[in-house]
Amino acid sequence: MASHKEDYYELLGVARDVPAEDLKKAYRKLAVKYHPDKNPGDKSAEEHFKKLSEAYDVLRDPDKRAAYDRYGHAAFAQGGAAGPRGPGGGGFHDPFDVFREVFGGGGGGGIFEEFFGGGGAGGGGAQRGADLRYDLEITLEEAASGVEKEISFRKLAACEHCHGSGAEPGSKRVRCTTCQGHGQVTTSRGFFTFRQTCPTCGGTGSRVERPCTKCRGEARVQQDAKVKVRIPAGVDTGTRLRSSGNGEAGTPEGTAGDLYIVLHVAAHEVFERQGDDLFCEIPIKFTLATIGGTIEVPTLTGKASLKIPAGTQSGTTFRLKGRGLPSLRGGHPGDELIRFHVEVPTALTADQRKKLEDFAVACGDADEPVAKSFFEKAKKFFQ
């Protein structure tokens, strides 16, 4: 006969409608109280801790919780609604995994290890160098074609005198006597055990016999650096390029950080960019807009001929396929869109004015200066 299992909500001391955050707090409080490290040799505490973890593992998952609320423990029996993933189905998590998740541990030196002294020796050790950021401005033409740039900056680099060891040549690094090479020191307060970085070696677990005379044992020095960067075609403002290993040097035996180049494409005097498309506004004479013709228009790669139909209106936009910017991800290039603005002459000679007046009479514009379609819409305002 199957043994009776306690209600998960009662185990955790919460109501059935408990919010997820309050559920987590309740489990955290009880898990600390019954954890085996706090109750060494107490089998009943260890069993209760496992029951608490099982209950929390179900109730923290919205799908499992819904199944439990409907079917109870039967939801997780072999072949039940929850299947083999539920408790008793062969897939239940290690209760310590649940505990580490709640307390932010999991091998990374988190609060779980600070409380109970978990983790291996040497929690400090070599440290990776810092990543660096460099903001680089390029032209629109360079963004369209791609370009190689050489940038200069200052960074912490491995000391050339000691080759990044921090020790004077002929000297060596020896184990730190404060932390015995672990990189961390441990202190106990009641039943809690705390770990912190060793103040003597800074977490490396070692120290130098004779510090380097150039870097004073720091293993790194500030120096100027130059890096060539290949910028691909199609980049835009905000594009970030990574130059691996060109950040700051790490501590002895630690890897170097990376250099991130953040691009800024300068504003252009002719073109406006929108994605991979280019926009250009060109003023044309009203005579060309009226009778039509062919003109040359600018593109990023030179010039192109464009036919203007007779009767082109101000604001009309033409599209030049593929004359925009290349796609950074290898797709189709963008287009160039040209919008024409029809210019009206502001100064006329007497002869020009007379000819335009004759043209207006011939077109009937002298009697109807406003388009008839608009007048029909607005005629109520004139009545």
Side-chain angles (χ1 to χ4, degrees):
M1 181 176 179
S3 60
H4 173 71
K5 297 191 70 171
E6 297 176 71
D7 182 84
Y8 287 154
Y9 291 101
E10 293 179 2
L11 263 173
L12 295 171
V14 296
R16 302 188 76 84
D17 59 350
V18 61
E21 188 60 32
D22 292 342
L23 176 70
K24 184 175 181 179
K25 291 178 181 178
Y27 170 68
R28 181 187 182 119
K29 181 178 179 180
L30 292 171
V32 170
K33 180 179 179 181
Y34 290 100
H35 194 279
D37 282 0
K38 188 181 174 184
N39 303 274
D42 189 340
K43 292 295 183 182
S44 62
E46 182 177 347
E47 287 301 316
H48 196 69
F49 173 77
K50 291 180 179 179
K51 291 179 182 179
L52 292 170
S53 298
E54 177 182 321
Y56 179 70
D57 183 58
V58 170
L59 299 184
R60 71 191 176 106
D61 184 297
D63 293 332
K64 290 182 182 180
R65 182 172 178 175
Y68 179 75
D69 288 344
R70 187 172 184 181
Y71 300 106
H73 294 295
F76 307 107
Q78 190 71 25
R85 294 183 58 194
F92 177 59
H93 298 104
D94 181 344
F96 287 89
D97 289 340
V98 180
F99 186 83
R100 291 186 186 97
E101 178 182 319
V102 174
F103 284 84
I111 194 171
F112 173 75
E113 291 170 350
E114 291 179 356
F115 275 172
F116 302 107
Q127 296 180 1
R128 181 178 181 274
D131 293 334
L132 297 178
R133 168 175 172 151
Y134 188 98
D135 290 88
L136 177 63
E137 184 176 82
I138 60 174
T139 66
L140 183 61
E141 288 83 359
E142 290 172 334
S145 62
V147 67
E148 186 176 80
K149 293 278 190 178
E150 184 176 73
I151 59 177
S152 301
F153 55 98
R154 287 186 65 80
K155 69 174 183 177
L156 277 175
C159 175
E160 295 179 356
H161 184 66
C162 65
H163 304 289
S165 69
E168 184 69 15
S171 180
K172 61 182 180 180
R173 299 189 70 88
V174 295
R175 188 174 69 171
C176 175
T177 55
T178 301
C179 65
Q180 300 301 316
H182 295 305
Q184 292 183 336
V185 291
T186 304
T187 56
S188 297
R189 297 178 185 175
F191 56 83
F192 289 123
T193 300
F194 295 89
R195 292 186 176 215
Q196 62 183 21
T197 301
C198 176
T200 302
C201 66
T204 63
S206 63
R207 60 179 181 82
V208 294
E209 289 180 322
R210 288 187 294 121
C212 171
T213 55
K214 183 177 180 180
C215 66
R216 298 181 180 180
E218 294 295 325
R220 302 179 295 179
V221 293
Q222 282 279 356
Q223 70 177 37
D224 295 326
K226 290 184 178 181
V227 174
K228 288 186 177 180
V229 182
R230 180 63 194 172
I231 301 172
V235 297
D236 199 354
T237 294
T239 298
R240 191 174 70 162
L241 307 177
R242 181 169 71 100
S243 182
S244 180
N246 280 316
E248 292 192 334
T251 59
E253 299 183 9
T255 58
D258 297 330
L259 171 65
Y260 289 90
I261 300 95
V262 181
L263 300 178
H264 302 268
V265 181
H268 198 274
E269 59 183 352
V270 173
F271 298 107
E272 178 185 339
R273 178 177 182 173
Q274 292 189 14
D276 291 337
D277 292 334
L278 291 176
F279 286 80
C280 178
E281 185 167 295
I282 300 177
I284 59 174
K285 302 298 183 181
F286 88 102
T287 49
L288 175 62
T290 303
I291 63 178
T294 300
I295 63 170
E296 290 184 336
V297 296
T299 72
L300 277 180
T301 56
K303 56 186 179 181
S305 295
L306 185 63
K307 186 176 181 180
I308 309 299
T312 295
Q313 302 298 308
S314 188
T316 301
T317 301
F318 294 84
R319 182 183 296 269
L320 295 178
K321 295 288 291 183
R323 291 300 187 98
L325 282 89
S327 172
L328 184 60
R329 294 172 177 77
H332 295 292
D335 302 330
E336 180 177 332
L337 292 95
I338 300 172
R339 182 169 55 197
F340 289 110
H341 170 70
V342 179
E343 286 189 334
V344 177
T346 57
L348 298 173
T349 65
D351 183 55
Q352 291 170 337
R353 183 178 182 84
K354 178 66 172 60
K355 289 179 178 179
L356 274 178
E357 289 174 347
D358 292 342
F359 177 76
V361 171
C363 294
D365 294 347
D367 297 325
E368 295 183 357
V370 178
K372 188 174 182 180
S373 58
F374 175 80
F375 186 78
E376 287 295 324
K377 297 176 183 178
K379 64 181 180 182
K380 65 179 181 180
F381 295 99
F382 298 94
Q383 295 175 350

PDB file of all heavy atoms in Angstrom, residues 30 66 85 109 140 146 163 165 177 182 195 207 229 237 255 263 274 276 292 298 300 362 364 369 379-380:
ATOM      1  N   LEU A  30      12.692  27.721   5.216  1.00  0.00           N
ATOM      2  CA  LEU A  30      12.668  26.352   5.724  1.00  0.00           C
ATOM      3  C   LEU A  30      13.890  25.560   5.272  1.00  0.00           C
ATOM      4  O   LEU A  30      14.402  24.709   6.005  1.00  0.00           O
ATOM      5  CB  LEU A  30      11.388  25.653   5.258  1.00  0.00           C
ATOM      6  CG  LEU A  30      10.088  26.185   5.875  1.00  0.00           C
ATOM      7  CD1 LEU A  30       8.876  25.577   5.180  1.00  0.00           C
ATOM      8  CD2 LEU A  30      10.045  25.874   7.371  1.00  0.00           C
ATOM      9  N   ALA A  66      -0.346  23.567 -11.587  1.00  0.00           N
ATOM     10  CA  ALA A  66      -1.735  23.423 -12.047  1.00  0.00           C
ATOM     11  C   ALA A  66      -2.173  21.967 -11.991  1.00  0.00           C
ATOM     12  O   ALA A  66      -3.306  21.638 -11.596  1.00  0.00           O
ATOM     13  CB  ALA A  66      -1.868  23.976 -13.462  1.00  0.00           C
ATOM     14  N   ARG A  85       8.413  13.257 -15.721  1.00  0.00           N
ATOM     15  CA  ARG A  85       9.209  14.387 -15.243  1.00  0.00           C
ATOM     16  C   ARG A  85       8.863  14.754 -13.815  1.00  0.00           C
ATOM     17  O   ARG A  85       9.614  15.441 -13.149  1.00  0.00           O
ATOM     18  CB  ARG A  85       9.012  15.605 -16.143  1.00  0.00           C
ATOM     19  CG  ARG A  85       9.535  15.443 -17.547  1.00  0.00           C
ATOM     20  CD  ARG A  85       9.354  16.711 -18.322  1.00  0.00           C
ATOM     21  NE  ARG A  85      10.027  17.818 -17.668  1.00  0.00           N
ATOM     22  CZ  ARG A  85       9.816  19.090 -17.973  1.00  0.00           C
ATOM     23  NH1 ARG A  85       8.955  19.410 -18.898  1.00  0.00           N
ATOM     24  NH2 ARG A  85      10.475  20.048 -17.347  1.00  0.00           N
ATOM     25  N   GLY A 109      30.485  30.314  -6.516  1.00  0.00           N
ATOM     26  CA  GLY A 109      30.903  31.065  -5.343  1.00  0.00           C
ATOM     27  C   GLY A 109      29.803  31.949  -4.806  1.00  0.00           C
ATOM     28  O   GLY A 109      30.063  32.985  -4.225  1.00  0.00           O
ATOM     29  N   LEU A 140      29.596  57.781 -44.494  1.00  0.00           N
ATOM     30  CA  LEU A 140      28.580  56.946 -45.129  1.00  0.00           C
ATOM     31  C   LEU A 140      29.190  56.141 -46.268  1.00  0.00           C
ATOM     32  O   LEU A 140      28.842  54.971 -46.478  1.00  0.00           O
ATOM     33  CB  LEU A 140      27.434  57.826 -45.648  1.00  0.00           C
ATOM     34  CG  LEU A 140      26.247  57.091 -46.271  1.00  0.00           C
ATOM     35  CD1 LEU A 140      25.582  56.172 -45.256  1.00  0.00           C
ATOM     36  CD2 LEU A 140      25.229  58.089 -46.822  1.00  0.00           C
ATOM     37  N   GLY A 146      32.876  49.397 -46.987  1.00  0.00           N
ATOM     38  CA  GLY A 146      33.759  48.686 -46.078  1.00  0.00           C
ATOM     39  C   GLY A 146      35.125  49.347 -46.079  1.00  0.00           C
ATOM     40  O   GLY A 146      35.538  49.930 -47.085  1.00  0.00           O
ATOM     41  N   HIS A 163      57.266  39.712 -18.509  1.00  0.00           N
ATOM     42  CA  HIS A 163      56.411  38.872 -19.358  1.00  0.00           C
ATOM     43  C   HIS A 163      55.062  38.566 -18.688  1.00  0.00           C
ATOM     44  O   HIS A 163      54.501  37.484 -18.855  1.00  0.00           O
ATOM     45  CB  HIS A 163      57.119  37.566 -19.732  1.00  0.00           C
ATOM     46  CG  HIS A 163      58.437  37.782 -20.403  1.00  0.00           C
ATOM     47  ND1 HIS A 163      58.556  38.265 -21.683  1.00  0.00           N
ATOM     48  CD2 HIS A 163      59.710  37.591 -19.952  1.00  0.00           C
ATOM     49  CE1 HIS A 163      59.832  38.364 -22.011  1.00  0.00           C
ATOM     50  NE2 HIS A 163      60.569  37.969 -20.976  1.00  0.00           N
ATOM     51  N   SER A 165      54.332  38.172 -15.527  1.00  0.00           N
ATOM     52  CA  SER A 165      54.321  37.320 -14.334  1.00  0.00           C
ATOM     53  C   SER A 165      54.274  38.129 -13.046  1.00  0.00           C
ATOM     54  O   SER A 165      53.866  37.630 -11.994  1.00  0.00           O
ATOM     55  CB  SER A 165      55.556  36.420 -14.310  1.00  0.00           C
ATOM     56  OG  SER A 165      56.732  37.186 -14.079  1.00  0.00           O
ATOM     57  N   THR A 177      51.082  32.127   1.475  1.00  0.00           N
ATOM     58  CA  THR A 177      50.999  31.470   2.779  1.00  0.00           C
ATOM     59  C   THR A 177      49.737  31.845   3.547  1.00  0.00           C
ATOM     60  O   THR A 177      49.356  31.163   4.496  1.00  0.00           O
ATOM     61  CB  THR A 177      52.240  31.842   3.622  1.00  0.00           C
ATOM     62  OG1 THR A 177      52.339  33.269   3.696  1.00  0.00           O
ATOM     63  CG2 THR A 177      53.501  31.283   2.996  1.00  0.00           C
ATOM     64  N   HIS A 182      44.862  28.730  -2.143  1.00  0.00           N
ATOM     65  CA  HIS A 182      43.457  28.585  -2.535  1.00  0.00           C
ATOM     66  C   HIS A 182      42.879  29.854  -3.160  1.00  0.00           C
ATOM     67  O   HIS A 182      41.873  29.802  -3.862  1.00  0.00           O
ATOM     68  CB  HIS A 182      42.608  28.186  -1.328  1.00  0.00           C
ATOM     69  CG  HIS A 182      42.945  26.843  -0.774  1.00  0.00           C
ATOM     70  ND1 HIS A 182      42.942  25.693  -1.530  1.00  0.00           N
ATOM     71  CD2 HIS A 182      43.316  26.468   0.477  1.00  0.00           C
ATOM     72  CE1 HIS A 182      43.279  24.662  -0.776  1.00  0.00           C
ATOM     73  NE2 HIS A 182      43.524  25.099   0.450  1.00  0.00           N
ATOM     74  N   ARG A 195      33.410  32.841   2.786  1.00  0.00           N
ATOM     75  CA  ARG A 195      34.640  32.865   2.012  1.00  0.00           C
ATOM     76  C   ARG A 195      34.793  34.235   1.375  1.00  0.00           C
ATOM     77  O   ARG A 195      33.817  34.830   0.929  1.00  0.00           O
ATOM     78  CB  ARG A 195      34.619  31.791   0.926  1.00  0.00           C
ATOM     79  CG  ARG A 195      34.678  30.380   1.478  1.00  0.00           C
ATOM     80  CD  ARG A 195      34.804  29.382   0.341  1.00  0.00           C
ATOM     81  NE  ARG A 195      34.951  28.034   0.848  1.00  0.00           N
ATOM     82  CZ  ARG A 195      35.687  27.103   0.277  1.00  0.00           C
ATOM     83  NH1 ARG A 195      36.356  27.385  -0.821  1.00  0.00           N
ATOM     84  NH2 ARG A 195      35.765  25.888   0.784  1.00  0.00           N
ATOM     85  N   ARG A 207      52.194  34.506  -4.768  1.00  0.00           N
ATOM     86  CA  ARG A 207      52.812  35.817  -4.669  1.00  0.00           C
ATOM     87  C   ARG A 207      54.219  35.724  -5.249  1.00  0.00           C
ATOM     88  O   ARG A 207      54.745  34.620  -5.486  1.00  0.00           O
ATOM     89  CB  ARG A 207      52.873  36.281  -3.212  1.00  0.00           C
ATOM     90  CG  ARG A 207      53.669  35.352  -2.312  1.00  0.00           C
ATOM     91  CD  ARG A 207      53.734  35.861  -0.882  1.00  0.00           C
ATOM     92  NE  ARG A 207      54.519  34.977  -0.033  1.00  0.00           N
ATOM     93  CZ  ARG A 207      55.850  35.008   0.038  1.00  0.00           C
ATOM     94  NH1 ARG A 207      56.536  35.893  -0.696  1.00  0.00           N
ATOM     95  NH2 ARG A 207      56.508  34.179   0.826  1.00  0.00           N
ATOM     96  N   VAL A 229      41.426  47.390 -37.675  1.00  0.00           N
ATOM     97  CA  VAL A 229      40.065  46.863 -37.637  1.00  0.00           C
ATOM     98  C   VAL A 229      39.492  46.838 -39.048  1.00  0.00           C
ATOM     99  O   VAL A 229      39.508  47.865 -39.742  1.00  0.00           O
ATOM    100  CB  VAL A 229      39.157  47.717 -36.723  1.00  0.00           C
ATOM    101  CG1 VAL A 229      37.755  47.126 -36.672  1.00  0.00           C
ATOM    102  CG2 VAL A 229      39.750  47.817 -35.331  1.00  0.00           C
ATOM    103  N   THR A 237      25.197  52.888 -37.637  1.00  0.00           N
ATOM    104  CA  THR A 237      25.442  53.411 -36.301  1.00  0.00           C
ATOM    105  C   THR A 237      24.933  52.413 -35.265  1.00  0.00           C
ATOM    106  O   THR A 237      23.800  51.935 -35.353  1.00  0.00           O
ATOM    107  CB  THR A 237      24.730  54.762 -36.116  1.00  0.00           C
ATOM    108  OG1 THR A 237      25.333  55.732 -36.981  1.00  0.00           O
ATOM    109  CG2 THR A 237      24.838  55.243 -34.683  1.00  0.00           C
ATOM    110  N   THR A 255      43.486  35.257 -19.025  1.00  0.00           N
ATOM    111  CA  THR A 255      43.364  35.633 -20.430  1.00  0.00           C
ATOM    112  C   THR A 255      43.060  37.126 -20.568  1.00  0.00           C
ATOM    113  O   THR A 255      42.536  37.757 -19.647  1.00  0.00           O
ATOM    114  CB  THR A 255      42.254  34.831 -21.118  1.00  0.00           C
ATOM    115  OG1 THR A 255      41.019  35.054 -20.412  1.00  0.00           O
ATOM    116  CG2 THR A 255      42.567  33.343 -21.100  1.00  0.00           C
ATOM    117  N   LEU A 263      30.495  51.543 -33.770  1.00  0.00           N
ATOM    118  CA  LEU A 263      30.569  52.415 -34.938  1.00  0.00           C
ATOM    119  C   LEU A 263      29.493  53.493 -34.912  1.00  0.00           C
ATOM    120  O   LEU A 263      28.372  53.289 -34.441  1.00  0.00           O
ATOM    121  CB  LEU A 263      30.428  51.584 -36.214  1.00  0.00           C
ATOM    122  CG  LEU A 263      31.491  50.496 -36.410  1.00  0.00           C
ATOM    123  CD1 LEU A 263      31.204  49.712 -37.680  1.00  0.00           C
ATOM    124  CD2 LEU A 263      32.885  51.101 -36.471  1.00  0.00           C
ATOM    125  N   GLN A 274      18.053  55.290 -44.235  1.00  0.00           N
ATOM    126  CA  GLN A 274      17.006  54.616 -43.478  1.00  0.00           C
ATOM    127  C   GLN A 274      17.159  53.123 -43.735  1.00  0.00           C
ATOM    128  O   GLN A 274      16.749  52.612 -44.773  1.00  0.00           O
ATOM    129  CB  GLN A 274      15.609  55.104 -43.886  1.00  0.00           C
ATOM    130  CG  GLN A 274      15.319  56.546 -43.492  1.00  0.00           C
ATOM    131  CD  GLN A 274      13.868  56.926 -43.709  1.00  0.00           C
ATOM    132  OE1 GLN A 274      13.007  56.066 -43.907  1.00  0.00           O
ATOM    133  NE2 GLN A 274      13.583  58.218 -43.673  1.00  0.00           N
ATOM    134  N   ASP A 276      18.852  50.087 -45.076  1.00  0.00           N
ATOM    135  CA  ASP A 276      19.763  49.933 -46.206  1.00  0.00           C
ATOM    136  C   ASP A 276      19.396  50.848 -47.365  1.00  0.00           C
ATOM    137  O   ASP A 276      20.070  50.854 -48.398  1.00  0.00           O
ATOM    138  CB  ASP A 276      19.770  48.468 -46.690  1.00  0.00           C
ATOM    139  CG  ASP A 276      20.419  47.535 -45.676  1.00  0.00           C
ATOM    140  OD1 ASP A 276      21.212  48.023 -44.854  1.00  0.00           O
ATOM    141  OD2 ASP A 276      20.120  46.329 -45.697  1.00  0.00           O
ATOM    142  N   GLY A 292       9.347  67.651 -69.033  1.00  0.00           N
ATOM    143  CA  GLY A 292      10.092  66.408 -68.907  1.00  0.00           C
ATOM    144  C   GLY A 292      11.495  66.514 -69.467  1.00  0.00           C
ATOM    145  O   GLY A 292      11.883  67.512 -70.078  1.00  0.00           O
ATOM    146  N   PRO A 298      23.032  62.048 -58.221  1.00  0.00           N
ATOM    147  CA  PRO A 298      24.166  61.455 -57.503  1.00  0.00           C
ATOM    148  C   PRO A 298      23.798  60.115 -56.875  1.00  0.00           C
ATOM    149  O   PRO A 298      22.655  59.885 -56.463  1.00  0.00           O
ATOM    150  CB  PRO A 298      24.472  62.499 -56.429  1.00  0.00           C
ATOM    151  CG  PRO A 298      23.145  63.133 -56.148  1.00  0.00           C
ATOM    152  CD  PRO A 298      22.421  63.166 -57.466  1.00  0.00           C
ATOM    153  N   LEU A 300      26.016  56.905 -54.346  1.00  0.00           N
ATOM    154  CA  LEU A 300      27.225  56.717 -53.542  1.00  0.00           C
ATOM    155  C   LEU A 300      28.398  56.204 -54.373  1.00  0.00           C
ATOM    156  O   LEU A 300      29.552  56.311 -53.964  1.00  0.00           O
ATOM    157  CB  LEU A 300      26.954  55.739 -52.396  1.00  0.00           C
ATOM    158  CG  LEU A 300      26.298  56.317 -51.142  1.00  0.00           C
ATOM    159  CD1 LEU A 300      26.101  55.232 -50.098  1.00  0.00           C
ATOM    160  CD2 LEU A 300      27.106  57.465 -50.561  1.00  0.00           C
ATOM    161  N   ALA A 362      -3.783  80.891 -72.054  1.00  0.00           N
ATOM    162  CA  ALA A 362      -3.965  79.776 -72.979  1.00  0.00           C
ATOM    163  C   ALA A 362      -4.433  78.513 -72.254  1.00  0.00           C
ATOM    164  O   ALA A 362      -5.210  77.720 -72.794  1.00  0.00           O
ATOM    165  CB  ALA A 362      -2.657  79.502 -73.724  1.00  0.00           C
ATOM    166  N   GLY A 364      -6.161  78.581 -69.428  1.00  0.00           N
ATOM    167  CA  GLY A 364      -7.355  78.857 -68.644  1.00  0.00           C
ATOM    168  C   GLY A 364      -7.067  79.089 -67.181  1.00  0.00           C
ATOM    169  O   GLY A 364      -7.982  79.172 -66.357  1.00  0.00           O
ATOM    170  N   PRO A 369      -7.399  79.834 -61.173  1.00  0.00           N
ATOM    171  CA  PRO A 369      -6.044  79.617 -60.682  1.00  0.00           C
ATOM    172  C   PRO A 369      -5.925  78.445 -59.709  1.00  0.00           C
ATOM    173  O   PRO A 369      -4.826  77.956 -59.439  1.00  0.00           O
ATOM    174  CB  PRO A 369      -5.701  80.936 -59.976  1.00  0.00           C
ATOM    175  CG  PRO A 369      -7.023  81.485 -59.562  1.00  0.00           C
ATOM    176  CD  PRO A 369      -7.991  81.083 -60.634  1.00  0.00           C
ATOM    177  N   LYS A 379     -15.851  74.399 -52.001  1.00  0.00           N
ATOM    178  CA  LYS A 379     -16.740  75.469 -52.474  1.00  0.00           C
ATOM    179  C   LYS A 379     -17.706  75.951 -51.403  1.00  0.00           C
ATOM    180  O   LYS A 379     -18.141  77.092 -51.418  1.00  0.00           O
ATOM    181  CB  LYS A 379     -17.493  75.041 -53.722  1.00  0.00           C
ATOM    182  CG  LYS A 379     -18.438  73.867 -53.496  1.00  0.00           C
ATOM    183  CD  LYS A 379     -19.128  73.493 -54.819  1.00  0.00           C
ATOM    184  CE  LYS A 379     -20.099  72.321 -54.648  1.00  0.00           C
ATOM    185  NZ  LYS A 379     -20.716  71.951 -55.932  1.00  0.00           N
ATOM    186  N   LYS A 380     -18.016  75.085 -50.406  1.00  0.00           N
ATOM    187  CA  LYS A 380     -18.948  75.504 -49.351  1.00  0.00           C
ATOM    188  C   LYS A 380     -18.384  76.651 -48.527  1.00  0.00           C
ATOM    189  O   LYS A 380     -19.108  77.407 -47.906  1.00  0.00           O
ATOM    190  CB  LYS A 380     -19.312  74.337 -48.460  1.00  0.00           C
ATOM    191  CG  LYS A 380     -18.156  73.777 -47.654  1.00  0.00           C
ATOM    192  CD  LYS A 380     -18.605  72.615 -46.763  1.00  0.00           C
ATOM    193  CE  LYS A 380     -17.451  72.062 -45.932  1.00  0.00           C
ATOM    194  NZ  LYS A 380     -17.883  70.939 -45.064  1.00  0.00           N
TER     195      LYS A 380
END
